[in-house]
Amino acid sequence: MGIVAENIRKILEDIPDHVKLIPISKTMPEEKILEAWSEGYKVFGENKVQELIRKQEALPQDIEWHMVGHVQTNKVKYIAPFVHLVHGVDSFKLIRVINKEADKAGRILNCLFQMHIATEETKFGFDQDEVLAIINSNEFYELNNIRIRGVMGMATFTRDDKQIRREFRNLYHFFNKLKNEYFSDEFKEVSMGMSGDYKIAIEEGSTMIRVGSLIFGERHYHN
Ligand SMILES: *Cc1c(COP(=O)(O)O)cnc(C)c1O
């Protein structure tokens, strides 16, 4: 077994069955993904549209692709035909465009509301009142080609585990509120937890963890 598949296997062994592992293959060469694919692992996530499209075209067509990064509205059309889940939905404008492009592609696109839970200014995501405004609007219910399946969030990059736990807990509380007051059974995903904090995230109710460096090794960015 190759090292990537081995790392995936180890994490899967370690997490409960109800938690889905999304290996994040960003910046990694296609051969590494192919290696894991040949061992039976067929779910991967990317955070840049260009890279996702390139890999989707080059790699086997049965891969389930997750888009976990920020999506610019003018790029939605490229991923609408194949993407399995868009984790980073963070504006009403993007929701409208996803709905339109999904319609053109003859699909219903699964999405998560990305919530801003970290203290850092830089991380994308909605505040709670922004989401409430969207789901209390009439327009939202006329969008037939988008399906909101849950929420996603990234905790602050810190060594303070208590803070990370608090942020994940807040996200889970908001998820529960939305689930109970606005949505039905199809609203069930809480995408939270990365290489450094997935164990805390699972304890706080995560249903999807997005793990990159722990599986593929450290990323080297070339500028
Ligand atoms: C890169 C990335 C991950 C994975 O990060 P690691 O720390 O390498 O596990 C998870 N989620 C998003 C949105 C990312 O961009």
Side-chain angles (χ1 to χ4, degrees):
M1 198 182 261
I3 185 72
V4 171
E6 179 65 24
N7 289 340
I8 293 175
R9 192 188 59 76
K10 271 194 229 150
I11 296 175
L12 285 174
E13 247 174 38
D14 197 42
I15 63 177
D17 286 344
H18 69 269
V19 178
K20 180 163 171 161
L21 170 63
I22 320 291
I24 305 299
S25 49
K26 64 188 186 196
T27 78
M28 296 299 161
E30 282 142 22
E31 304 84 78
K32 283 203 179 187
I33 301 172
L34 203 51
E35 176 206 304
W37 176 87
S38 68
E39 308 264 5
Y41 299 115
K42 304 195 172 183
V43 177
F44 298 98
E46 291 284 335
N47 76 331
K48 293 211 164 64
V49 170
Q50 298 295 358
E51 189 175 349
L52 173 57
I53 301 163
R54 197 186 73 226
K55 287 175 172 169
Q56 192 271 339
E57 282 176 0
L59 287 162
Q61 294 301 297
D62 63 351
I63 291 178
E64 177 186 303
W65 287 107
H66 290 244
M67 178 62 201
V68 302
H70 181 67
V71 184
Q72 287 172 278
T73 50
N74 61 354
K75 298 204 172 138
V76 172
K77 57 178 176 284
Y78 303 115
I79 61 173
F82 68 86
V83 73
H84 179 77
L85 180 64
V86 183
H87 292 234
V89 172
D90 59 2
S91 74
F92 207 166
K93 185 178 169 207
L94 181 57
I95 289 172
R96 291 185 189 103
V97 173
I98 288 174
N99 184 70
K100 189 181 83 188
E101 295 300 335
D103 187 15
K104 280 194 204 159
R107 301 186 70 210
I108 293 173
L109 279 188
N110 294 315
C111 297
L112 306 178
F113 287 134
Q114 180 171 356
M115 302 304 301
H116 182 262
I117 59 170
T119 51
E120 290 129 344
E121 286 291 327
T122 52
K123 290 191 175 153
F124 292 104
F126 285 118
D127 292 328
Q128 297 191 0
D129 51 354
E130 292 174 313
V131 167
L132 294 174
I134 290 171
I135 59 187
N136 281 308
S137 72
N138 291 329
E139 185 192 351
F140 182 67
Y141 295 92
E142 285 158 13
L143 305 175
N144 293 318
N145 291 78
I146 185 166
R147 198 157 286 158
I148 305 291
R149 308 300 303 254
V151 298
M152 178 271 214
M154 291 168 84
T156 302
F157 188 71
T158 171
R159 263 181 266 186
D160 182 353
D161 283 0
K162 284 210 187 88
Q163 181 178 353
I164 294 170
R165 186 178 295 281
R166 199 161 54 232
E167 290 171 359
F168 284 152
R169 188 167 293 183
N170 286 340
L171 180 58
Y172 187 79
H173 274 296
F174 187 59
F175 161 78
N176 249 339
K177 175 185 164 70
L178 294 182
K179 185 173 179 61
N180 294 334
E181 295 176 19
Y182 295 92
F183 290 95
S184 60
D185 286 347
E186 65 186 33
F187 190 83
K188 60 183 168 64
E189 304 297 352
V190 184
S191 170
M192 60 184 191
M194 310 182 7
S195 291
D197 56 21
Y198 77 87
K199 290 184 181 169
I200 301 176
I202 290 172
E203 286 168 6
E204 296 303 329
S206 174
T207 66
M208 279 186 174
I209 57 173
R210 311 175 310 272
V211 180
S213 45
L214 205 59
I215 291 172
F216 289 95
E218 291 302 316
R219 287 180 290 273
H220 303 283
Y221 291 96
H222 304 279
N223 298 306

